[in-house]
């Protein structure tokens, strides 16, 4: 399956293959979306997204027609419940259909529902813990429709936080503690409009929190200050060529705002959990690639900080440009987590 990450400003495609325990990047591509095609993780222009997917598939020259996509964590309700261990999978499903309305605040005919048995309950050997996940059906259907327009079939619909965690397992090996593996790692995914903090502790589900803040604010400031269009500002942000005062007047204040958001997100985590520190911060998302940002976060918070790159130990096919892939790596964490679903 292709990993297809539909974000606020672009669609990212990634195809992985595996031989033994080694992964290989077969193809990848990133395609910008029309403005406002996706607003706060909801697709509002299915045709625009579908056309972008078609261009992406064409450019990546992939032959794969099935894809995994994800919905935002904020659109999903998850709950871990206990059920009798003796039930078969079908019986579990029937019983959940009957009981689900206790846990989900929407009419069940408007909801896409799934579950996964997590293992025996620590409280009783006769019960199992079941992770229940639900989101509005329209969230799933909009993604399916966009993929169909792009010539693909949605085989899996996942949750962004879970994709992040899956891709993170590839990054985790780069940060193993000397005294074993129980490091508390914070991943800060800074997208175009949304910043998501995921803290991976040794418990099963990651702590996640979303804030409205992202790279679009930098693009808008470039637009405003230098009288450029959205496209021009976006290109200038990536490729440079802006006036001399850009670094000090625009980029530096934005980087400080990012550091502030990171600090604030972590404060929320500390105040709502038993933790008061993290061992490592990993920056992901398109905005993470800004030069010097990781150093600034590390200096301000006194915590080692690095850029996410899940491809460090992967081989690349001849059609993948290594420099481009490394530059885009922090923004490809979710696409990577989706592509890994091929090997479940």
């Amino acid at each position: 399956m292709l990993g297809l990450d539909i974000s606020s400003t672009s669609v990212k495609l990634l195809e992985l293959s595996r031989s033994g325990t080694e992964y290989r990047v077969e193809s990848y591509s990133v395609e910008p979306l029309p403005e406002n095609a996706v607003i706060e993780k909801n697709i509002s222009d299915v045709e625009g997204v579908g056309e972008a997917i078609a261009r992406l598939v064409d450019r990546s020259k992939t032959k794969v027609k099935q894809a995994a996509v994800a919905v935002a964590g904020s659109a999903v309700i998850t709950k871990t419940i206990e059920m009798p261990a003796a039930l078969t999978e079908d019986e579990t499903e029937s019983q959940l259909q009957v009981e689900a309305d206790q846990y989900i605040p929407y009419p069940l005919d408007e909801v896409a529902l799934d579950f996964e048995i997590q293992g025996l309950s620590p409280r009783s050997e006769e019960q199992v813990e079941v992770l229940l996940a639900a989101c509005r059906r329209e969230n799933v259907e909009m993604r399916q429709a966009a993929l169909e327009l792009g010539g693909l079939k949605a085989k899996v619909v996942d949750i962004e936080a879970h994709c992040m965690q899956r891709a993170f397992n590839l990054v985790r090996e780069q940060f193993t503690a000397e005294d074993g593996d129980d490091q508390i790692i914070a991943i800060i995914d800074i997208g175009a409009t949304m910043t998501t903090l995921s803290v991976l502790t040794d418990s099963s589900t990651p702590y996640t929190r979303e804030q409205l803040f992202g790279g679009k604010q930098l693009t808008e400031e470039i637009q405003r200050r230098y009288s450029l269009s959205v496209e021009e500002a976006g290109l200038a942000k990536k490729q440079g060529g802006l006036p001399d005062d850009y670094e000090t007047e625009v980029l530096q204040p934005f980087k400080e705002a990012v550091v502030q958001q990171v600090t604030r997100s972590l404060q929320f985590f500390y105040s709502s959990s038993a933790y008061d520190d993290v061992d490592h911060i990993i920056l992901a998302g398109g905005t993470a690639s800004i030069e010097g940002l990781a150093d600034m976060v590390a200096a301000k918070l006194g915590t080692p900080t690095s850029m996410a790159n899940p491809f460090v130990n992967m081989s690349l096919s001849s059609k993948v440009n290594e420099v481009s892939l490394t530059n885009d790596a922090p923004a490809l964490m979710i696409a990577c987590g989706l592509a890994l679903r091929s090997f479940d």
Side-chain angles (χ1 to χ4, degrees):
M1 280 185 299
L2 299 169
L4 201 75
D5 174 21
I6 302 168
S7 71
S8 321
T9 54
S10 65
V11 185
K12 306 169 193 80
L13 175 150
L14 179 69
E15 178 188 349
L16 297 177
S17 63
R18 184 170 72 175
S19 134
T21 56
E22 303 288 307
Y23 293 104
R24 172 175 145 117
V25 181
E26 295 295 341
S27 61
Y28 103 96
S29 203
V30 179
E31 179 68 29
L33 283 171
E35 202 176 353
N36 296 331
V38 176
I39 297 170
E40 286 177 30
K41 309 267 179 137
N42 292 317
I43 296 177
S44 52
D45 169 8
V46 174
E47 279 81 21
V49 176
E51 285 160 14
I53 293 171
R55 289 194 295 276
L56 202 55
V57 170
D58 194 41
R59 184 150 23 90
S60 69
K61 304 195 171 24
T62 178
K63 302 279 183 284
V64 181
K65 289 294 175 216
Q66 291 189 317
V69 289
V71 292
S74 54
V76 181
I77 294 164
T78 55
K79 189 141 184 72
T80 302
I81 56 178
E82 295 203 344
M83 298 186 76
L87 296 179
T88 65
E89 186 132 332
D90 288 348
E91 289 167 342
T92 303
E93 187 165 355
S94 313
Q95 193 167 328
L96 276 175
Q97 291 290 356
V98 174
E99 293 178 9
D101 55 0
Q102 300 174 42
Y103 310 108
I104 293 155
Y106 309 124
L108 284 186
D109 54 355
E110 292 174 17
V111 166
L113 193 69
D114 202 2
F115 70 92
E116 190 175 274
I117 294 166
Q118 303 286 295
L120 284 175
S121 157
R123 280 176 288 285
S124 157
E125 284 185 7
E126 286 165 15
Q127 299 280 94
V128 284
E129 290 193 331
V130 179
L131 177 68
L132 181 68
C135 81
R136 283 183 175 277
R137 201 176 282 281
E138 63 187 12
N139 274 335
V140 172
E141 287 167 353
M142 296 285 256
R143 280 163 174 76
Q144 281 177 300
L147 262 69
E148 269 167 36
L149 288 171
L152 297 175
K153 183 176 189 320
K155 191 168 179 215
V156 165
V157 179
D158 209 324
I159 302 167
E160 285 183 0
H162 292 232
C163 300
M164 193 54 108
Q165 189 170 18
R166 209 171 298 117
F168 173 71
N169 288 335
L170 296 177
V171 178
R172 186 192 286 269
E173 333 174 326
Q174 304 159 33
F175 304 103
T176 322
E178 285 93 61
D179 55 353
D181 207 1
D182 51 355
Q183 286 207 319
I184 309 301
I185 309 257
I187 300 184
I188 304 202
D189 181 11
I190 311 162
T193 57
M194 200 83 84
T195 294
T196 309
L197 165 71
S198 308
V199 183
L200 302 171
T201 57
D202 27 20
S203 77
S204 49
T205 39
Y207 164 91
T208 54
R209 187 172 188 281
E210 293 180 345
Q211 276 173 278
L212 271 175
F213 174 83
K216 195 173 173 194
Q217 270 144 291
L218 179 57
T219 313
E220 284 168 354
E221 184 56 29
I222 294 171
Q223 251 183 289
R224 196 181 62 76
R225 187 173 281 260
Y226 305 114
S227 309
L228 301 173
S229 71
V230 177
E231 287 77 16
E232 290 166 342
L235 271 175
K237 181 167 90 169
K238 278 205 172 86
Q239 295 168 0
L242 286 161
D244 294 345
D245 68 349
Y246 167 65
E247 291 280 331
T248 53
E249 297 291 314
V250 180
L251 187 59
Q252 193 59 25
F254 177 75
K255 280 161 53 172
E256 282 162 11
V258 172
V259 174
Q260 222 174 353
Q261 290 293 330
V262 171
T263 311
R264 192 176 300 158
S265 297
L266 285 168
Q267 287 323 139
F268 271 109
F269 166 64
Y270 300 145
S271 64
S272 61
S273 74
Y275 299 96
D276 57 6
D277 198 9
V278 295
D279 297 306
H280 207 104
I281 295 170
I282 294 176
L283 299 181
T287 306
S289 312
I290 292 176
E291 207 172 316
L293 190 57
D295 295 341
M296 220 171 134
V297 171
K300 177 82 171 60
L301 293 169
T303 305
T305 304
S306 359
M307 307 277 280
N309 183 352
F311 309 112
V312 168
N313 299 321
M314 293 191 193
S315 56
L316 310 180
S317 86
S318 56
K319 59 182 179 181
V320 174
N321 177 324
E322 188 174 353
V323 176
S324 303
L325 181 68
T326 304
N327 287 341
D328 285 330
L332 290 168
M333 288 286 280
I334 288 171
C336 180
L338 286 165
L340 289 169
R341 284 297 298 264
S342 305
F343 315 111
D344 283 0

